[in-house]
Amino acid sequence: MDKAAKIYVAGHTGLVGGAITRGLKKQGYENVVGKTIEELDLTRQQQVEEYFAKEKPEYAILAAAKVGGIHANNTYPAQFIYINLQIQCNIVNAAYLHGVKKLLFLGSSCIYPKHAPQPMKEEYLLTGKLEPTNEPYAIAKIAGIKMCQSYNREYGTTFISVMPTNLYGPGDNYHPTDSHVLPALIRRFHEAKTAGSKSVSVWGTGKPRRELLFNEDLADACIFLMNHYDGNEFVNIGTGEDHTIAEYAGLVKDVVGFPGTIEYDTSKPDGTPQKLLDCSKLHGLGWKHKTTLKDGIARAYEDFLARFGG
């Protein structure tokens, strides 16, 4: 990508889009554009097409999505499938119609079957049943991958897809019930520390294994792929390492400085037993993550304190 090219980042205020926008500017890309949801409703086809016709971006990064943890996916399944399908259809088609040179679509590791072999290789897509708690969201993301591949085949576009693992970092959603595991733990331990509680309750058994990637590392990987990858097959983005929820809880406990104990609420669902990505394709292209887990959690907690008070 030329440093002066106009790059549209859909979802530029979110956890992923915000990190990508900051990463692009840090690397010297001077013409990065985006619109808030109040300024541009990405679920409305006419608004999206009018925006592309007016702005004429040369490149597009589709980081906008409705996202959430187990509770949110279980509670709002219709919203998760409808909103994500609408956003994807509108932006991918508008990018084609208005001659975008290259588009990057961000999916999610939940696209893989619930019991896929670990670590999960890209070719495991659609080889088994999905995790029921987030099936509508996963189906929307799978549709996005297939849409990009189909446009490439029929129209000769260069629309690439990436599948990031679980993310965390500055700009995350810390909602008490609708957030992902790491921000939920940060909020829970911080509030327990502030309230002087003796223990913190963590959902599930603590045994499921998860892979976490710092959002600024994801941004760096996306920019790298925009410059070095034109393939039709999607690419996993992660660390290639995973830990149990119990281990993450212990790390957050230490970073926050909570002196009490951890209890596990086994009445709550665990979700997928393990989600570890095989990142050999990405590593083979020459990219690896830089942020350690401890440093990343410390920076995420700093962001939480800055936004919600210490």
Side-chain angles (χ1 to χ4, degrees):
M1 295 186 295
D2 183 86
K3 292 295 173 79
K6 181 176 284 188
I7 305 169
Y8 168 53
V9 180
H12 74 290
T13 62
L15 174 69
V16 174
I20 291 173
T21 299
R22 294 192 300 273
L24 285 166
K25 292 179 178 178
K26 187 176 180 180
Q27 293 188 30
Y29 293 93
E30 304 165 357
N31 198 1
V32 184
V33 298
K35 290 285 187 181
T36 65
I37 192 170
E38 291 79 18
E39 297 169 323
L40 175 62
D41 185 347
L42 296 177
T43 67
R44 302 301 176 188
Q45 182 181 16
Q46 184 175 347
Q47 289 187 33
V48 173
E49 292 190 1
E50 288 174 352
Y51 178 77
F52 272 77
K54 179 182 177 182
E55 289 290 340
K56 297 181 173 59
E58 295 175 67
Y59 300 92
I61 297 176
L62 207 178
K66 180 173 180 61
V67 298
I70 292 175
H71 175 81
N73 274 273
N74 261 333
T75 308
Y76 313 112
Q79 292 182 44
F80 271 85
I81 194 166
Y82 173 80
I83 292 173
N84 286 301
L85 284 172
Q86 287 288 92
I87 290 172
Q88 295 161 194
C89 287
N90 293 340
I91 291 180
V92 171
N93 194 60
Y96 157 66
L97 291 174
H98 296 281
V100 168
K101 293 178 181 177
K102 190 171 186 178
L103 175 143
L104 182 145
F105 169 73
L106 282 129
S108 166
S109 59
C110 72
I111 63 168
Y112 287 109
K114 178 173 182 176
H115 298 293
Q118 303 291 319
M120 297 182 288
K121 299 177 182 291
E122 286 88 350
E123 58 260 35
Y124 295 165
L125 181 68
L126 296 175
T127 58
K129 292 185 176 180
L130 299 166
E131 160 61 42
T133 57
N134 57 23
E135 184 183 65
Y137 177 71
I139 287 174
K141 288 298 182 180
I142 293 169
I145 298 169
K146 294 301 180 182
M147 190 173 185
C148 288
Q149 292 174 338
S150 298
Y151 272 62
N152 292 342
R153 285 174 54 201
E154 185 169 347
Y155 301 127
T157 52
T158 306
F159 294 169
I160 65 173
S161 299
V162 300
M163 293 305 112
T165 189
N166 298 285
L167 303 168
Y168 72 101
D172 214 336
N173 168 27
Y174 295 95
H175 191 279
T177 58
D178 292 350
S179 59
H180 287 107
V181 59
L182 204 285
L185 289 172
I186 287 175
R187 177 170 184 146
R188 206 165 296 166
F189 278 99
H190 174 79
E191 290 181 344
K193 176 185 174 182
T194 303
S197 302
K198 294 181 179 180
S199 67
V200 166
S201 177
V202 175
W203 278 26
T205 63
K207 295 178 181 179
R209 303 187 68 86
R210 291 291 181 270
E211 175 186 17
L212 293 182
L213 178 69
F214 194 58
N215 65 335
E216 292 179 8
D217 283 344
L218 170 67
D220 187 65
C222 289
I223 298 167
F224 174 86
L225 290 168
M226 284 292 282
N227 284 309
H228 296 96
Y229 182 73
D230 293 331
N232 199 40
E233 298 305 316
F234 69 89
V235 179
N236 287 337
I237 300 180
T239 64
E241 306 164 0
D242 66 355
H243 302 275
T244 66
I245 298 299
E247 289 173 316
Y248 287 122
L251 282 167
V252 173
K253 177 180 182 291
D254 291 343
V255 168
V256 172
F258 175 68
T261 60
I262 301 173
E263 297 178 351
Y264 293 93
D265 183 355
T266 56
S267 69
K268 296 294 193 297
D270 268 341
T272 306
Q274 184 180 25
K275 288 204 302 182
L276 176 64
L277 296 183
D278 183 313
C279 298
S280 56
K281 181 187 288 188
L282 180 60
H283 292 166
L285 291 168
W287 186 92
K288 289 188 177 182
H289 74 287
K290 301 178 182 70
T291 309
T292 66
L293 188 57
K294 187 174 182 180
D295 287 346
I297 292 174
R299 290 177 63 187
Y301 186 46
E302 288 173 4
D303 172 65
F304 174 86
L305 292 176
R307 292 166 59 196
F308 301 101

